[in-house]
Amino acid sequence: MNAPQPPKQVDPTAISTSPALDALVQSLQQAAGDPALPEATQALLLESARELRAARDRIDAEHNRYRALFDAVPDPVSVLSRDGTVLDLNKAGIAAYMRSREDIIGKPIETLNPELPPGHLVPVLDALDRGETYVIEVTNMRADGSRFPVEVHSATLVYDGQPAIIAVARDLSARNEAEARYASLTESTDKAITIQDRVGHLHYINAAGMRIFGLSGDEIVPREPDWSDWVVVDEDGRPLPHDQYPAARALDTGLPISSVVIGLLRHSTQRLIWLSVTAVPQFAPGAKTAELVLTLSSDITALKRDTTLFKRVQELARIGGWQWNRSTDALYLTEEAARIVSAKSTPESMTAFLACLREHDRRRMQDVLAKIGQGTGFELELQGSEADGTPFWIRMIGESESSGPGTDQLTGTVQDVTDRKQEEATLRVQAQTDALTGLMNRDAILSQLDTRLADTASNRIALLYIDLDRFKIVNDVLGHGAGDELLVAAAQRMRKAIGSEGMVARFGGDEFVVICATDDDADRPEHMAQRIQHAFAESFRLHGDEFNVTTSIGIAQAPADGETSQQLIQSADMAMYDSKRRTRNGWQAFSPELASRQQERLQTETQLRRALDKGEFHLVYQPQVDLRTGRILYAEALVRWRNPQLGEMRPDHFIDLAETTGDIVRIGNWVLREACTQMRRWSEQGLPIQRMAVNVSYRQFLGDDLAESVRKALQESELPGSALELELTERVLVDDTPATLAVFTELRALGVQLSIDDFGEGYSALNYLRRLPINALKLSYSFIKGVPGNPSDIAICQAVAGIAQSLGLGLVAEGVENEAQRDFLLRLGVTTGQGFLFAPGLLPGEFAKRVAAQQDPA
């Protein structure tokens, strides 16, 4: 007697529409009606017909369920005969290839991929015949001829009673783009990523690698894994020599080794895993050989082990499936779908599933389910909570059955997108946060401002524009690291001063912006400004030194001072600069008068840019005299500006403006050349003027080749360097860099005299005076005007005179206006000065007359 044969595997697609089965049912029914048969036989025939009909209905339902899940998979899934003929293709495949079913079914696979080489199925069939899966990356073609890369996972399948191949083609286009954008997110991948050197020492392994290789935390560097516990085999199960490992081949050839299937057997656990390995050599900059190799390993163990189409499709697509009966509310979730939801117990109804979602998304899903009709579908991204409260995000796709007995059913897929959503949320926070201070950044505060101004219910707000006074000095003296520390500390003080009454942001550099409501407290902006300035009353301690850093604040209120964010910021900025100009450590509210002054400033700035080209500048010369005799010794060149529209402009107004706009560099160079030329004229006239003093801007010193400009001016006027004195501000001393010292050295090499103007008003760096080649100091008018009556000014003058004498420097007093000041300076030992007591700035002819009169008193 022959051994019983195993039952033949039957494909539901073939049975569900079998006319033979229908004919058999009909024959049984007819035979049951034959009166010649016994009644028992007729009853048995009728029962057999009913059982066959019931079996057919179950098979039809199973087929519909298979078909719905097959078509719900978002990746193209095809069923091929062993000779490569396409037997079936899901909806995603039809959409991806842009072809009708008639153009694909029954055609060779080369229709979808004309670039496949001859015999391409041989390795596929070899792998499948060994009970394995086959994975390959190829390029498929759409109907319009366009190509797109895919990763094809192939496995065995019995289709219509015949051995067949099921292939899932994952479109790699989006993945390639995602890999380029998120290359650093290795820890979120489900592939093992390792970096090894030539001797096999492990330099890096990600979490997926730990899981795939079954390693525990104590097996990682600094203690190397015991690789002797592992046996590596090729895809045929044969031991693989070390030099044939993908990593070793990549290091030896210097080329990537792609998609090599290997097996790893661990003796201690008797655990075998199958991997698809890609190894990429890593070259150090300038190196000809690679010393490290990055290995990307995909665990394909499950693919080799799984046998059913439904489970294979789920795992290959890395998503779960679901099916819902609308009439009974019964819900079926695959294992993967249940894992994604992570509820205490797997939801068995749509009501239970919706309970896992947050309220807002629950209503969205309910609305979609209520409106979805026959043949329609949906796609939603939803947020929910796991049983322990951990939030998750899913991408849910579904559609209703198009026909048949399951028309009251919806089927689809659910995909875990939690990692992507969390990454997006992190990026949004980072995009709205200042990385240094942790405050809102410029874009975030502008967005908040626009939102409030657009809402009439919340547009009564004030904006405070805050600038840190003397921040640049700290940055220049101690460096950018200390400047960053100061910004962080300043941000903390502002946040504490503002509390919950407003929002604060770093607007850029050392500027901050605060927004607060005024509808419930009209005086809140002023009170807030006072609190901020009070918070800055205490000095900042940086690198062992204390610095007094204050704030200048401008206030603008909406809608009176601006109805848009740009207008409001501009108004507050204008008020802030007015406060800083008048007195630092103060606040100023915007007003129409302030806007008018700003308009005048802009007009002046426009005229200033054209003044030099129009010849509107001229020089006057103030004598520097011997305080004992009044005899003129030297001259200081002073620039004056007369504009046809604006009239005679005050020097302190337009020089400060030129410093701000940068025009001072061109103007300063013109003054230098013009003063040297005038000095040459006086020399030719025989006037005994020993030296010409010219003021040099800090911007000239930094931004221009000052030494070269001086050399050319002296050369063109045929003057010796000793005939020129350059007056520099104390700001130059702060910038104590090799470049600064080099400029000083070059100027001294030309024979030019160097002095520090208004010494004591700014950052008096005494140490720099000792090291830099300075000839003289100029005692500021702000100290002279208080003597001999003001004790503080007397003390400062005495201190500056003592410094000059101890360092062997000359000393010139500015702004001498009366005999009492002259007598005080002489008693102090100061013998050179200038001021209205002797003469204001004089035109060249008048200056020459006074010098000539000294030579010929008659």
Side-chain angles (χ1 to χ4, degrees):
M1 184 174 181
N2 294 331
Q5 298 296 316
K8 180 179 179 181
Q9 289 184 275
V10 182
D11 176 46
T13 306
I15 294 179
S16 62
T17 56
S18 171
L21 183 59
D22 291 338
L24 178 59
V25 171
Q26 186 176 5
S27 296
L28 289 173
Q29 289 174 335
Q30 290 175 350
D34 186 353
L37 295 175
E39 290 184 2
T41 302
Q42 291 179 2
L44 180 61
L45 291 173
L46 284 175
E47 181 62 25
S48 298
R50 282 194 297 271
E51 290 295 333
L52 282 175
R53 279 198 303 273
R56 181 190 61 191
D57 290 343
R58 288 193 299 272
I59 291 172
D60 284 349
E62 185 64 24
H63 167 263
N64 290 334
R65 179 174 171 180
Y66 150 74
R67 190 75 230 178
L69 292 173
F70 187 63
D71 283 337
V73 176
D75 292 325
V77 182
S78 56
V79 179
L80 311 175
S81 66
R82 289 178 66 87
D83 65 359
T85 302
V86 181
L87 303 177
D88 199 0
L89 186 68
N90 70 345
K91 289 183 179 179
I94 293 171
Y97 301 123
M98 299 179 181
R99 300 173 185 269
S100 64
R101 290 181 61 86
E102 293 74 16
D103 289 340
I104 300 176
I105 304 303
K107 304 294 177 60
I109 188 61
E110 286 80 4
T111 303
L112 305 181
N113 191 343
E115 298 174 359
L116 289 172
H120 63 89
L121 280 176
V122 172
V124 180
L125 295 175
D126 287 346
L128 301 187
D129 288 344
R130 292 191 300 272
E132 303 168 356
T133 58
Y134 189 82
V135 182
I136 189 172
E137 292 187 10
V138 297
T139 301
N140 283 354
M141 185 178 73
R142 303 183 181 92
D144 61 3
S146 62
R147 264 71 168 175
F148 61 100
V150 295
E151 180 183 73
V152 181
H153 291 248
S154 301
T156 57
L157 173 73
V158 175
Y159 185 87
D160 199 15
Q162 298 296 324
I165 305 170
I166 180 168
V168 179
R170 168 62 58 86
D171 189 339
L172 299 181
S173 303
R175 192 189 75 181
N176 291 344
E177 294 175 3
E179 287 175 352
R181 291 193 303 267
Y182 305 115
S184 64
L185 304 181
T186 57
E187 289 302 318
S188 65
T189 183
D190 63 346
K191 293 179 172 58
I193 298 176
T194 61
I195 299 178
Q196 296 171 274
D197 57 24
R198 286 185 172 273
V199 298
H201 288 162
L202 194 62
H203 290 246
Y204 172 78
I205 183 170
N206 68 345
M210 296 280 291
R211 175 180 53 80
I212 290 174
F213 295 126
L215 299 174
S216 60
D218 61 355
E219 291 181 288
I220 300 305
V221 180
R223 188 168 77 81
E224 289 287 327
D226 182 12
W227 294 116
S228 63
D229 192 27
W230 297 81
V231 174
V232 182
V233 297
D234 63 16
E235 59 182 328
D236 296 321
R238 295 174 300 211
L240 197 65
H242 182 272
D243 61 356
Q244 291 302 306
Y245 290 3
R249 289 170 56 194
L251 286 170
D252 290 341
T253 63
L255 300 172
I257 305 298
S258 302
S259 302
V260 176
V261 176
I262 63 171
L264 290 179
L265 174 63
R266 194 173 190 183
H267 289 304
S268 59
T269 62
Q270 288 299 299
R271 179 172 177 260
L272 174 65
I273 57 174
W274 291 96
L275 304 175
S276 174
V277 179
T278 296
V280 182
Q282 305 293 298
F283 291 84
K288 294 182 179 180
T289 59
E291 295 300 326
L292 297 175
V293 59
L294 183 147
T295 304
L296 182 69
S297 303
S298 299
D299 186 354
I300 58 172
T301 307
L303 302 182
K304 284 179 166 285
R305 185 174 58 244
D306 295 340
T307 55
T308 63
L309 168 65
F310 183 57
K311 191 171 183 179
R312 284 179 184 273
V313 170
Q314 282 194 95
E315 293 181 354
L316 288 169
R318 299 172 189 155
I319 58 177
W322 61 273
Q323 188 177 63
W324 178 52
N325 187 306
R326 191 197 304 264
S327 60
T328 65
D329 196 35
L331 178 68
Y332 170 77
L333 296 177
T334 64
E335 291 181 9
E336 181 67 13
R339 186 198 64 77
I340 291 172
V341 176
S342 298
K344 289 183 178 179
S345 58
T346 301
E348 296 183 352
S349 67
M350 184 59 73
T351 301
F353 175 80
L354 291 175
C356 299
L357 303 179
R358 68 177 187 175
E359 182 62 29
H360 173 69
D361 287 342
R362 185 184 309 151
R363 289 195 298 269
R364 289 175 59 214
M365 185 69 174
Q366 288 171 334
D367 292 342
V368 167
L369 294 177
K371 296 175 182 177
I372 192 169
Q374 182 175 321
T376 62
F378 69 90
E379 178 176 341
L380 293 174
E381 288 193 351
L382 308 166
Q383 183 181 0
S385 297
E386 298 178 3
D388 61 359
T390 302
F392 66 82
W393 283 262
I394 57 174
R395 176 172 173 256
M396 198 160 185
I397 302 174
E399 63 179 12
S400 65
E401 301 290 348
S402 58
S403 61
T407 53
D408 209 29
Q409 290 186 337
L410 273 68
T411 305
T413 59
V414 58
Q415 183 177 12
D416 189 346
V417 294
T418 302
D419 289 346
R420 175 171 64 82
K421 285 293 188 178
Q422 290 175 340
E423 291 157 9
E424 291 174 355
T426 300
L427 291 175
R428 280 195 298 271
V429 172
Q430 292 175 346
Q432 295 184 339
T433 303
D434 177 60
L436 177 64
T437 63
L439 299 177
M440 298 171 67
N441 62 15
R442 183 189 187 99
D443 291 339
I445 199 71
L446 286 176
S447 176
Q448 288 287 339
L449 188 56
D450 289 335
T451 300
R452 292 198 177 196
L453 291 174
D455 187 355
T456 56
S458 63
N459 68 352
R460 293 181 60 81
I461 59 175
L463 185 141
L464 283 68
Y465 202 106
I466 306 165
D467 182 83
L468 301 185
D469 302 326
R470 302 182 78 245
F471 170 77
K472 186 166 179 57
I473 291 178
V474 175
N475 219 31
D476 291 341
V477 173
L478 298 183
H480 294 292
D484 288 347
E485 289 181 32
L486 175 58
L487 290 173
V488 172
Q492 292 172 348
R493 293 192 186 187
M494 286 186 203
R495 186 187 283 116
K496 185 175 181 180
I498 292 164
S500 60
E501 292 189 51
M503 294 184 293
V504 59
R506 183 184 176 201
F507 207 61
D510 63 335
E511 295 177 335
F512 297 81
V513 164
V514 172
I515 297 176
C516 64
T518 59
D519 52 353
D520 60 335
D521 185 357
D523 297 328
R524 178 176 286 127
E526 290 78 8
H527 293 160
M528 194 170 286
Q530 292 168 359
R531 291 205 305 270
I532 292 172
Q533 293 187 325
H534 179 73
F536 280 74
E538 183 180 349
S539 59
F540 290 82
R541 190 165 186 83
L542 301 168
H543 296 190
D545 294 325
E546 289 190 1
F547 290 85
N548 291 319
V549 177
T550 56
T551 59
S552 293
I553 304 175
I555 301 174
Q557 300 199 34
D561 301 333
E563 296 182 351
T564 67
S565 58
Q566 182 178 359
Q567 292 171 348
L568 202 61
I569 289 172
Q570 184 176 359
S571 297
D573 183 46
M574 194 182 304
M576 182 273 292
Y577 273 108
D578 184 67
S579 174
K580 183 179 285 288
R581 180 185 60 81
R582 289 185 297 103
T583 173
R584 297 176 183 237
N585 192 25
W587 58 270
Q588 173 67 47
F590 178 80
S591 66
E593 294 77 11
L594 183 62
S596 177
R597 290 200 301 271
Q598 180 67 9
Q599 184 62 35
E600 292 175 3
R601 178 183 172 88
L602 292 175
Q603 183 182 7
T604 303
E605 183 179 325
T606 301
Q607 296 294 330
L608 180 63
R609 287 200 178 97
R610 306 168 183 167
L612 190 59
D613 296 329
K614 291 182 176 182
E616 296 176 2
F617 292 112
H618 67 278
L619 296 184
V620 295
Y621 303 88
Q622 187 172 39
Q624 294 181 347
V625 304
D626 186 330
L627 293 178
R628 295 165 296 189
T629 64
R631 186 177 183 83
I632 297 175
L633 302 175
Y634 318 114
E636 179 178 1
L638 304 172
V639 64
R640 297 292 183 262
W641 177 28
R642 183 183 298 108
N643 179 267
Q645 297 180 20
L646 305 176
E648 191 76 29
M649 299 297 297
R650 288 176 51 184
D652 57 338
H653 284 182
F654 74 81
I655 290 178
D656 286 346
L657 184 59
E659 288 273 6
T660 302
T661 62
D663 293 311
I664 194 67
V665 176
R666 288 184 63 219
I667 297 172
N669 287 337
W670 176 84
V671 170
L672 177 64
R673 294 192 303 272
E674 185 68 16
C676 288
T677 301
Q678 183 60 54
M679 186 67 175
R680 179 62 186 175
R681 293 193 191 103
W682 287 335
S683 178
E684 292 173 346
Q685 295 171 14
L687 298 176
I689 304 170
Q690 301 175 31
R691 193 165 57 238
M692 175 71 75
V694 176
N695 289 281
V696 174
S697 164
Y698 175 71
R699 281 180 173 265
Q700 275 180 277
F701 194 88
L702 286 185
D704 193 29
D705 190 348
L706 182 60
E708 179 63 19
S709 299
V710 171
R711 187 190 62 78
K712 287 183 179 179
L714 292 172
Q715 186 178 32
E716 291 170 359
S717 57
E718 299 179 354
L719 290 177
S722 59
L724 179 64
E725 177 182 359
L726 298 182
E727 296 186 4
L728 308 169
T729 65
E730 287 183 282
R731 180 71 181 279
V732 173
L733 300 182
V734 176
D735 192 25
D736 181 30
T737 65
T740 302
L741 185 58
V743 175
F744 272 100
T745 303
E746 290 182 59
L747 292 173
R748 284 298 297 271
L750 293 172
V752 175
Q753 300 291 297
L754 302 174
S755 63
I756 302 301
D757 197 16
D758 295 330
F759 184 79
E761 284 192 352
Y763 188 88
S764 300
L766 304 182
N767 185 49
Y768 302 150
L769 285 180
R770 181 176 57 82
R771 293 191 291 106
L772 296 176
I774 303 298
N775 299 100
L777 305 178
K778 295 197 73 175
L779 190 54
S780 173
Y781 163 71
S782 63
F783 304 134
I784 298 295
K785 67 181 179 180
V787 298
N790 189 310
S792 296
D793 288 338
I794 291 174
I796 292 175
C797 290
Q798 290 173 339
V800 174
I803 290 171
Q805 291 170 7
S806 64
L807 294 177
L809 302 177
L811 187 61
V812 179
E814 297 181 295
V816 182
E817 297 182 345
N818 55 60
E819 290 293 343
Q821 293 170 343
R822 177 182 184 178
D823 293 340
F824 168 80
L825 292 169
L826 287 172
R827 290 195 303 272
L828 198 60
V830 181
T831 60
T832 306
Q834 63 190 86
F836 283 179
L837 177 62
F838 307 104
L842 305 173
L843 292 174
E846 179 61 27
F847 191 96
K849 287 180 181 179
R850 294 201 180 195
V851 176
Q854 292 179 168
Q855 293 178 289
D856 185 10

